[in-house]
Amino acid sequence: MDYTGSLLDGSIFDSSKGRFPIEGVIGVGRFIRGWDEGVITMSLGERAKLTISPEYAYGQRGYSSIIPPNSTLIFEMELLGI
């Protein structure tokens, strides 16, 4: 899966573009809940834009200094394999 993650202000905090696509099993808690619930609805080759509320992302704790607490995240994703 390829993705680019950004905050509501448009600042990009992470991207797999230009690196290796990310791999892993969806729905087992490896990824944020918004990915677990959003990616599972995608078809192979589909591109989607997921808007993920803080409760389905990193919530009140945020993530390091990269993602502030209570941030809504935007992910532009492409499902490359199943």
Side-chain angles (χ1 to χ4, degrees):
M1 163 170 50
D2 263 338
Y3 70 93
T4 298
S6 61
L7 301 174
L8 285 177
D9 68 4
S11 58
I12 295 173
F13 59 81
D14 194 17
S15 180
S16 66
K17 306 266 176 155
R19 301 184 306 181
F20 293 103
I22 193 166
E23 295 181 2
V25 178
I26 293 292
V28 296
R30 178 170 178 221
F31 302 105
I32 59 173
R33 185 174 170 194
W35 275 30
D36 281 346
E37 294 190 14
V39 173
I40 203 158
T41 68
M42 294 174 66
S43 300
L44 183 61
E46 182 177 358
R47 292 177 186 215
K49 185 174 184 179
L50 303 179
T51 301
I52 301 177
S53 67
E55 297 78 20
Y56 285 73
Y58 296 100
Q60 293 179 347
R61 71 182 186 277
Y63 183 78
S64 185
S65 62
I66 300 168
I67 300 172
N70 299 311
S71 292
T72 296
L73 307 180
I74 309 294
F75 286 96
E76 294 184 21
M77 310 186 77
E78 180 178 8
L79 187 60
L80 303 173
I82 295 180

